[in-house]
Amino acid sequence: MRANYRMQRLFVEPTLAANVDFEASRDQFHYLANVLRAEEGAEVLVFNGRDGEWRARLSYPTRKRLLLTPLEQTRPQPAASDLHYLFAPLKAGRLDYLVQKAVEMGAGVLQPVMTQHVQGKITSVDRIEANVIEAAEQCGILGIPEVRSPRRLEELLQDWPADRRIVFCDEGHDSQNPLPALGEIEERKLALLVGPEGGFSDAERALLRGLPFVTAIPLGPRILRADTAAVAAMAVIQATIGDWK
Ligand code: SAH
């Protein structure tokens, strides 16, 4: 079921159940009361990543307090998205974009990966999580993707579970069309690996190509920036073997 785009949607922490009210966070109080000037009795949609989405009513017991009362569930909690997205960190502004787009495209786990030519670094997992929540609020995604802490590529590959196939975007691939390689994938569990702005090193490419659980794909005749490559790859994956099918 697609989301209702006319109502404000907010991520909240507390458990959601009919008529069990809870206090809005300070930021949400500020946003609803001061920015939106929402009145007593106005309704918003709330979700917590566990209990589905609920229509909730606002009330102000005092001028400084805002309560949210869940009234009815508007959408049940869906199964969590299972696509793992393995990405080399980019510089700050582009990293925000990359995280938001990955969530919109259906990534369920975000795993930063440190490769040889990586230029960005993860200064704050909190900032990634804030971007994840913002994208989920905007796009009506009810399962909040998990953000993992950064790992080195070799280390990640060493204890990789063999039943999850890694789709590796290989800018050095000798063809242009990703569909034949994707068509051969039988596993249901998938991960997508996109390199940093500097690309993969020859050693990394050789390592990846030698692993039985890795499928290398090209993405057309042009070199794409890493954030563009991720969106393009998720679109072809979702349309062929993912949740657009
Ligand atoms: N500096 C590198 C390009 C890196 S692009 C060079 O000039 O070769 C960043 C990442 O996006 C790559 O590591 C790869 O994972 C992905 N990517 C970009 N264009 C691609 C393409 N045409 N095919 C497959 N992957 C691509």
Side-chain angles (χ1 to χ4, degrees):
M1 201 193 323
R2 283 233 168 85
N4 173 341
Y5 285 97
R6 280 183 290 275
M7 285 176 83
Q8 189 69 43
R9 186 177 299 100
L10 298 175
F11 174 79
V12 297
E13 298 285 350
T15 295
L16 299 172
N19 300 315
V20 181
D21 58 20
F22 59 90
E23 192 105 22
S25 72
R26 270 184 53 180
D27 286 352
Q28 285 169 346
F29 173 87
H30 172 71
Y31 181 65
L32 291 167
N34 303 334
V35 180
L36 295 185
R37 299 187 180 281
E39 289 176 4
E40 172 98 18
E43 291 181 0
V44 295
L45 295 171
V46 293
F47 67 107
N48 61 6
R50 308 183 302 273
D51 303 321
E53 179 189 69
W54 291 70
R55 198 159 57 79
R57 193 173 42 223
L58 274 59
S59 56
Y60 296 93
T62 71
R63 281 182 49 213
K64 298 271 175 226
R65 289 180 61 210
L66 171 56
L67 291 182
L68 290 162
T69 310
L71 302 174
E72 60 161 0
Q73 197 186 49
T74 46
R75 289 188 294 156
Q77 185 67 31
S81 165
D82 185 52
L83 177 62
H84 291 210
Y85 173 36
L86 318 177
F87 62 98
L90 308 180
K91 291 178 192 141
R94 296 192 86 83
L95 182 63
D96 292 346
Y97 171 89
L98 172 151
V99 168
Q100 290 167 14
K101 300 302 139 186
V103 174
E104 289 171 39
M105 295 299 295
V109 169
L110 303 186
Q111 171 70 68
V113 181
M114 307 312 283
T115 63
Q116 220 164 324
H117 298 321
V118 67
Q119 283 160 349
K121 61 172 188 276
I122 302 291
T123 41
S124 150
V125 171
D126 287 354
R127 177 161 175 165
I128 298 185
E129 278 167 349
N131 277 303
V132 165
I133 287 172
E134 193 184 309
E137 285 179 335
Q138 263 183 20
C139 299
I141 293 162
L142 298 182
I144 301 294
E146 176 191 338
V147 181
R148 299 201 174 154
S149 36
R151 294 191 67 193
R152 288 175 36 77
L153 180 65
E154 291 81 2
E155 200 188 287
L156 187 73
L157 295 173
Q158 256 163 29
D159 52 22
W160 189 259
D163 63 342
R164 183 177 294 278
R165 180 150 294 270
I166 298 180
V167 177
F168 150 53
C169 296
D170 183 0
E171 69 272 29
H173 204 285
D174 51 17
S175 71
Q176 302 186 358
N177 184 351
L179 299 180
L182 290 175
E184 283 175 16
I185 292 178
E186 285 169 357
E187 290 86 345
R188 302 287 306 276
K189 295 185 181 177
L190 298 172
L192 168 68
L193 171 63
V194 180
E197 304 288 29
F200 289 102
S201 70
D202 290 344
E204 287 168 341
R205 190 168 290 114
L207 169 69
L208 285 161
R209 286 191 165 172
L211 292 169
F213 49 79
V214 174
T215 296
I217 61 162
L219 291 169
R222 290 166 290 276
I223 295 286
L224 307 173
R225 295 190 72 161
D227 43 5
T228 316
V231 176
M234 286 193 220
V236 284
I237 290 174
Q238 295 293 35
T240 52
I241 51 176
D243 69 7
W244 290 5
K245 261 182 66 182

